[in-house]
């Protein structure tokens, strides 16, 4: 294995809301995603999900509050908690979550990606 | 839970080789550590370990090669693989690893921290 350069990996794709896998460990995966616009309300029944902001700003709406995340900040959405990410401008995020997760959680729609591509 | 600002968390401690916990998810933990100097050769029998460089540069010696990591880069040490981190100057790292891990792995010595403080 070689060192993984996060900025270089982000140059390899441009799609929004389509996480790419850059690593696996302990049944978990490290994903990178570019987000822009509004995602859907969803929750993950069995998985906690970590968002780390690499570039830009992200708003995550929860049912009882809104979390504002800037570059260098992270937030963990506990399992079962409904959330809706909103990126007014493009944001680059790193996600840390179990291999078994579906990024749209309990909802399947046109945004759902069945298998995350490894880059 | 509030947004966790990585830079702000690093201001809360100065010890080297003493990871601090900033989050938990899916039986895993997110740790921050300041490293300076040479650590010991060790391995983790059952745990893969992710190093992400937040500030500075880190060299990780493996038995068959040396990995050089700079800011914005990450590396996963697979379970069972002996490694020795070396920081010529102070480096700030983020670690992802299982809750059950001991940072000195199979070796217990004066550097071993039994419980990681949460900050």
């Amino acid at each position: 294995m070689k060192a993984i350069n996060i900025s270089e990996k982000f140059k390899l794709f441009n799609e929004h809301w389509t996480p790419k896998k850059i690593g696996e460990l302990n049944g978990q995966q490290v994903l990178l995603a570019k987000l822009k616009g509004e995602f859907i309300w969803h929750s993950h029944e069995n998985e906690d999900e970590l968002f780390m902001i690499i570039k830009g700003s992200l708003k995550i709406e929860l049912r009882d509050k809104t979390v504002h995340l800037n570059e260098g900040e992270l937030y963990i959405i506990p399992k079962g908690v409904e959330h809706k990410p909103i990126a007014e401008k493009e944001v680059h995020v790193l996600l840390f979550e179990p291999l078994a997760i579906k990024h749209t959680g309990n909802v399947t729609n046109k945004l759902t990606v069945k298998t995350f591509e490894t880059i």
Side-chain angles (χ1 to χ4, degrees), chain A:
Chain A
M1 188 187 150
K2 290 175 61 181
I4 295 169
N5 185 296
I6 295 172
S7 299
E8 292 299 319
K9 291 292 188 188
F10 269 115
K11 293 179 183 165
L12 301 179
F13 67 101
N14 285 308
E15 313 98 284
H16 295 138
W17 307 111
T18 308
K20 306 294 183 186
K21 191 190 297 188
I22 60 165
E24 277 190 33
L25 70 165
N26 306 304
Q28 316 289 311
Q29 58 191 336
V30 184
L31 303 171
L32 298 182
K34 292 183 177 180
L35 314 181
K36 190 174 179 188
E38 299 199 1
F39 204 57
I40 52 169
W41 277 105
H42 67 286
S43 62
H44 307 283
E45 190 180 346
N46 299 309
E47 298 96 358
D48 307 320
E49 184 174 36
L50 182 149
F51 287 78
M52 181 188 297
I53 310 304
I54 303 297
K55 187 175 165 187
S57 299
L58 180 67
K59 191 162 74 170
I60 302 180
E61 290 191 352
L62 307 176
R63 289 299 185 188
D64 62 341
K65 64 176 173 179
T66 299
V67 180
H68 296 270
L69 297 174
N70 298 308
E71 192 171 314
E73 294 186 332
L74 59 88
Y75 195 82
I76 297 168
I77 309 283
K79 61 188 77 164
V81 171
E82 285 186 290
H83 55 287
K84 177 184 179 167
I86 300 176
E88 290 177 8
K89 297 181 181 173
E90 184 178 84
V91 53
H92 295 188
V93 301
L94 181 149
L95 307 167
F96 188 59
E97 50 194 47
L99 287 170
I101 206 167
K102 274 173 41 183
H103 66 142
T104 52
N106 59 327
V107 179
T108 300
N109 76 358
K110 63 180 181 178
L111 290 170
T112 305
V113 178
K114 286 200 179 138
T115 308
F116 298 139
E117 181 189 2
T118 298
I119 60 172

